[in-house]
Amino acid sequence: MAKNFKYIILGGGVSAGYAAREFAKQGVKPGELAIISKEAVAPYERPALSKAYLFPESPARLPGFHVCVGSGGERLLPEWYKEKGVELILSTEIVKADLAAKSLTSAGGETFTYQILIIATGSTVIKLTDFGVEGADAKNIFYLREVDDADKLYEAIKAKKNGKAVVVGGGYIGLELSAVLRLNNIDVTMVYPEPWCMPRLFTSGIAEFYEGYYANKGVNIIKGTVAVGFTSNSNGEVKEVKLKDGRVLEADIVVVGVGGRPQISLFKGQVEEEKGGIKTDSFFKSNVSDVYAVGDVATYPLKLYGELRRVEHVDHSRKSAEQAVKAIKAAEDGKTVEEYDYLPFFYSRSFDLSWQFYGDNVGDTVLFGDNNPESAKPKFGTYWIKDGKVVGIFLEGGTPEENKAIANAARVQPPVTDVDQLAKDGLSFVRCKDGGQNCSLFFFNGQLVPVSKLDPGKQEIQTSIS
């Protein structure tokens, strides 16, 4: 017989946990809500996996980073779901979704029906085996997405003490894992085809700092080529990485981080798609009645820029999930909520570094500050300027107050009259009037500007494992 629920959240990642918390705040009744996840554990803060989970000393472990500690909130242990009457259906993979019939079918043949569905399936990693790369199925070639992946990588790091690792990819995963592998005293070579690391966000000037800093930490960087094959030893473990430019690298461990794909194949032909995701409105409702999509899988109206976008980041995963639940519960009461008005936010931490970015990385750029990788305490940033206004700001080494200031500036989009002066002013272009955490007035180009729409405080409360 089918199990019936009023609400089902499909997926067990960050979005699922934050949606469940919002349902509890909104007064969901016991037995109304279920979370279905193919993972064996309750929702957790996924960014921990590429950071503290792999630390050589005092590594993070569950239950320490269950949601919602990544935004400074209460940690939702498995017992929390039981106390709230939320059914956690774990180790369950859904293989069929019939949106017209409002039913889901698991690999084990179970059927689940719902009144309202929230699709929170996130992304899946792109694997080299998908492209038939020679030897890509060898042992000790790792991808990082779930706790099980991190456990396997952690064991390999311990088994290959002082060994050699090749990191394929120069994005988030590549940079964060190269750093944590060096912390484990692994010899690291990072390989990527682009002219500089993190090209989707970084300018060449920003990347130059990180590449220099990583080189100083002992990370060897090879740019402009890709891995085209792997060889193995008699145990089936990876031994060498063949590069397109003809070089061959020794490797005891290979970590691949070349991107991901939204997991929406279950819904193909049933929902409207846009830009690789499920098209939604500002409340994350799809074109199918009673079906919502949040996090990585949602393509939604980004109000600040007046266009549809799909955003892959943990901050958006948290906030979009909360927005969808608020909209669902408001609609039941015949009410509405405000449109989702999101300010894009990205961050990362590695070694002793910590950066934050707010806004949009389009237009001309202005680099400011000390971006010398040899500096004891480097601190620098970049402004993006479009149509004479600041639309995005990157800052390495900022204080909480400074990070709040750049967030507010990215929201307000202050005008720029002198680009050369902006480079000289640096952070003084955007500074808080009273220097405190609860600023409501900021200086922009010498004028006081009230900021009422944005409170990025929660965005800045980043724990060591988030």
Side-chain angles (χ1 to χ4, degrees), residues 221-285:
I221 296 176
I222 299 176
K223 298 183 280 188
T225 190
V226 295
V228 294
F230 303 88
T231 62
S232 307
N233 61 23
S234 58
N235 295 323
E237 297 177 338
V238 67
K239 182 176 69 173
E240 295 173 328
V241 181
K242 300 177 183 178
L243 303 184
K244 189 175 183 179
D245 65 8
R247 279 181 277 189
V248 178
L249 308 175
E250 293 182 35
D252 301 299
I253 295 170
V254 173
V255 182
V256 181
V258 292
R261 296 189 184 97
Q263 297 191 84
I264 60 173
S265 59
L266 285 173
F267 316 103
K268 286 287 183 183
Q270 300 185 74
V271 291
E272 187 176 355
E273 296 180 29
E274 186 83 25
K275 296 184 177 180
I278 297 172
K279 185 178 180 181
T280 75
D281 61 17
S282 296
F283 312 102
F284 295 97
K285 187 174 184 179

Side-chain angles (χ1 to χ4, degrees), residues 221-365:
I221 296 176
I222 299 176
K223 298 183 280 188
T225 190
V226 295
V228 294
F230 303 88
T231 62
S232 307
N233 61 23
S234 58
N235 295 323
E237 297 177 338
V238 67
K239 182 176 69 173
E240 295 173 328
V241 181
K242 300 177 183 178
L243 303 184
K244 189 175 183 179
D245 65 8
R247 279 181 277 189
V248 178
L249 308 175
E250 293 182 35
D252 301 299
I253 295 170
V254 173
V255 182
V256 181
V258 292
R261 296 189 184 97
Q263 297 191 84
I264 60 173
S265 59
L266 285 173
F267 316 103
K268 286 287 183 183
Q270 300 185 74
V271 291
E272 187 176 355
E273 296 180 29
E274 186 83 25
K275 296 184 177 180
I278 297 172
K279 185 178 180 181
T280 75
D281 61 17
S282 296
F283 312 102
F284 295 97
K285 187 174 184 179
S286 75
N287 68 311
V288 177
S289 178
D290 298 323
V291 174
Y292 293 73
V294 297
D296 289 5
V297 301
T299 300
Y300 68 97
L302 209 167
K303 184 177 180 180
L304 189 60
Y305 307 125
E307 63 182 41
L308 289 172
R309 288 199 189 176
R310 192 176 64 82
V311 176
E312 293 181 357
H313 194 262
V314 63
D315 182 67
H316 166 65
S317 294
R318 295 165 179 157
K319 290 181 168 61
S320 60
E322 293 170 339
Q323 170 75 354
V325 175
K326 290 175 182 176
I328 288 167
K329 297 301 289 183
E332 291 176 350
D333 295 333
K335 301 176 182 177
T336 59
V337 295
E338 290 186 7
E339 291 182 318
Y340 191 63
D341 191 7
Y342 184 67
L343 173 68
F345 167 57
F346 302 93
Y347 72 89
S348 183
R349 288 182 300 282
S350 57
F351 293 120
D352 296 322
L353 305 174
S354 176
W355 60 259
Q356 293 194 11
F357 170 84
Y358 295 90
D360 207 9
N361 61 329
V362 295
D364 299 323
T365 59

Side-chain angles (χ1 to χ4, degrees), residues 13-231:
V14 172
S15 288
Y18 282 76
R21 183 179 68 170
E22 188 60 37
F23 268 119
K25 288 181 180 178
Q26 297 285 339
V28 71
K29 297 176 182 177
E32 287 187 331
L33 172 63
I35 295 174
I36 303 177
S37 173
K38 67 183 182 70
E39 292 192 70
V41 295
Y44 56 90
E45 301 284 358
R46 205 175 294 278
L49 301 182
S50 59
K51 302 180 184 70
Y53 201 89
L54 301 174
F55 283 176
E57 304 293 335
S58 302
R61 288 292 179 270
L62 291 173
F65 58 97
H66 281 298
V67 298
C68 300
V69 296
S71 60
E74 174 191 1
R75 183 176 55 177
L76 308 186
L77 300 175
E79 294 78 18
W80 179 90
Y81 298 88
K82 188 174 182 179
E83 292 169 2
K84 299 298 182 182
V86 177
E87 186 161 346
L88 277 178
I89 304 172
L90 305 176
S91 302
T92 301
E93 182 179 5
I94 297 299
V95 295
K96 181 182 178 182
D98 187 336
L99 301 185
K102 295 191 173 183
S103 72
L104 306 171
T105 305
S106 74
E110 298 171 286
T111 300
F112 306 92
T113 60
Y114 59 84
Q115 294 179 36
I116 295 176
L117 175 67
I118 298 178
I119 300 170
T121 44
S123 297
T124 184
V125 295
I126 295 173
K127 296 187 176 183
L128 298 182
T129 49
D130 298 342
F131 307 102
V133 175
E134 176 190 9
D137 56 351
K139 296 177 183 177
N140 287 348
I141 297 179
F142 298 99
Y143 301 83
L144 189 62
R145 181 63 186 173
E146 300 175 356
V147 164
D148 285 348
D149 301 326
D151 283 337
K152 293 171 184 175
L153 178 55
Y154 184 82
E155 292 305 315
I157 291 171
K158 297 305 177 187
K160 303 297 183 180
K161 191 175 181 180
N162 303 322
K164 296 179 181 293
V166 174
V167 176
V168 179
Y172 263 111
I173 292 296
L175 287 167
E176 293 185 352
L177 287 184
S178 291
V180 81
L181 286 166
R182 283 301 297 141
L183 294 178
N184 282 278
N185 204 35
I186 299 289
D187 186 304
V188 179
T189 299
M190 186 162 54
V191 179
Y192 47 90
E194 298 88 0
W196 61 77
C197 63
M198 203 82 165
R200 290 174 63 183
L201 175 61
F202 289 179
T203 64
S204 59
I206 294 173
E208 184 179 359
F209 166 80
Y210 291 99
E211 291 173 350
Y213 192 97
Y214 273 54
N216 292 340
K217 292 291 187 179
V219 177
N220 180 37
I221 296 176
I222 299 176
K223 298 183 280 188
T225 190
V226 295
V228 294
F230 303 88
T231 62

Side-chain angles (χ1 to χ4, degrees), residues 360-382:
D360 207 9
N361 61 329
V362 295
D364 299 323
T365 59
V366 173
L367 184 69
F368 64 87
D370 177 11
N371 68 330
N372 183 349
E374 306 283 348
S375 296
K377 290 187 177 180
K379 187 172 188 174
F380 71 97
T382 294

